[in-house]
Amino acid sequence: MPRAWKIADVPPLLKAPTIDDINKDIRPICLTSTLSKVAEGFVIDMDRLSVIDPSQFGFIPGSCTTFALISMFHQWLRATDAGIAHSDLVRFYCSVIRSILEYACQVFHCNLPLYLSEEIERIQRRALRVIFPDCSYSEGLAKAGLTTLYDRRSTLCKELFSDIDTQGNHKLSHLLPVRSQQNYNLRSTRAFAAPVCKTNRFRDSFISSHCM
């Protein structure tokens, strides 16, 4: 393939109205050449899969995400036997695996059943057991400088809601209910009037749960 077809544009996609942290507020999107994608289809149609890197799983017939994860964990476990620094493995876990586990977590965190939350937590528990085989989960979290996935999701939800609340031009600010007007010194410190919720799904949704 021509070299120009292998070059991709990687424009930064803003995840927030303002950029406070370049690592958190910008997501790079890789855009490859249209001709390159067409040529990829021809390669598959011409039964030339034997010349494709065996570690390639995307867009390959008979392949799936499960195979990709099995291969990734195999390479990961083999790397731990080679003596790779723990910090590098933690960095790999955070950038490749945890980023998937917490993708759009603000949407589902408040509605997430306990058993599913525990299943997600088991993935991080297993990852830290691989990196720090002689440590308990709490000790592994301390060494890696991480928190539980539940606590991290809670923090991300609070940060996003705070941005919506404090930034008047936020894309989602129109979803907030009216602010609470209190003329007396009450025990309730709600900043917003509690929305009327007829179902648990709406009560536990992102906006409603943080307004109560």
Side-chain angles (χ1 to χ4, degrees):
M1 294 177 61
R3 183 176 181 276
W5 292 10
K6 301 179 183 180
I7 299 176
D9 293 328
V10 187
L13 181 65
L14 298 181
K15 298 168 60 178
T18 58
I19 300 176
D20 298 323
D21 188 335
I22 192 172
N23 295 318
K24 295 181 179 180
D25 300 335
I26 293 181
R27 178 185 293 116
I29 302 297
C30 182
L31 302 177
T32 56
S33 168
T34 302
L35 291 176
S36 176
K37 296 178 182 178
V38 173
E40 180 180 344
F42 280 120
V43 169
I44 295 177
D45 293 339
M46 294 169 60
D47 195 20
R48 297 294 300 277
L49 297 178
S50 59
V51 300
I52 295 179
D53 190 329
S55 62
Q56 170 69 30
F57 292 92
F59 305 101
I60 301 297
S63 183
C64 64
T65 306
T66 301
F67 296 170
L69 289 173
I70 291 174
S71 175
M72 181 185 67
F73 269 95
H74 176 76
Q75 300 295 336
W76 191 9
L77 292 171
R78 186 168 63 181
T80 58
D81 289 337
I84 293 181
H86 291 161
S87 59
D88 291 336
L89 292 174
V90 171
R91 191 176 298 110
F92 172 82
Y93 162 74
C94 292
S95 60
V96 177
I97 300 177
R98 190 181 70 174
S99 59
I100 298 176
L101 299 177
E102 65 186 17
Y103 177 74
C105 65
Q106 296 90 338
V107 177
F108 62 80
H109 174 64
C110 297
N111 267 314
L112 192 65
L114 178 60
Y115 78 95
L116 286 180
S117 178
E118 292 176 347
E119 285 295 322
I120 296 175
E121 198 72 38
R122 283 179 56 190
I123 299 176
Q124 177 165 277
R125 189 185 301 270
R126 174 58 179 163
L128 292 184
R129 176 61 63 88
V130 172
I131 300 174
F132 305 104
D134 299 325
C135 297
S136 65
Y137 185 43
S138 58
E139 292 172 342
L141 289 173
K143 284 191 174 184
L146 303 178
T147 62
T148 63
L149 291 177
Y150 180 89
D151 290 341
R152 179 167 169 80
R153 290 196 304 270
S154 298
T155 299
L156 293 174
C157 286
K158 291 177 182 178
E159 290 177 351
L160 177 58
F161 187 81
S162 176
D163 290 342
I164 298 173
D165 181 24
T166 56
Q167 299 175 9
N169 60 344
H170 196 281
K171 185 80 171 179
L172 301 179
S173 60
H174 68 284
L175 299 178
L176 297 175
V178 296
R179 290 193 171 274
S180 178
Q181 300 293 334
Q182 298 180 355
N183 297 323
Y184 302 97
N185 186 16
L186 304 178
R187 287 181 296 176
S188 174
T189 58
R190 293 175 179 169
F192 298 92
V196 178
C197 304
K198 297 182 180 180
T199 62
N200 291 339
R201 292 190 302 272
F202 182 52
R203 182 199 62 192
D204 295 334
S205 64
F206 173 70
I207 295 293
S208 299
S209 62
H210 284 79
C211 290
M212 294 182 178

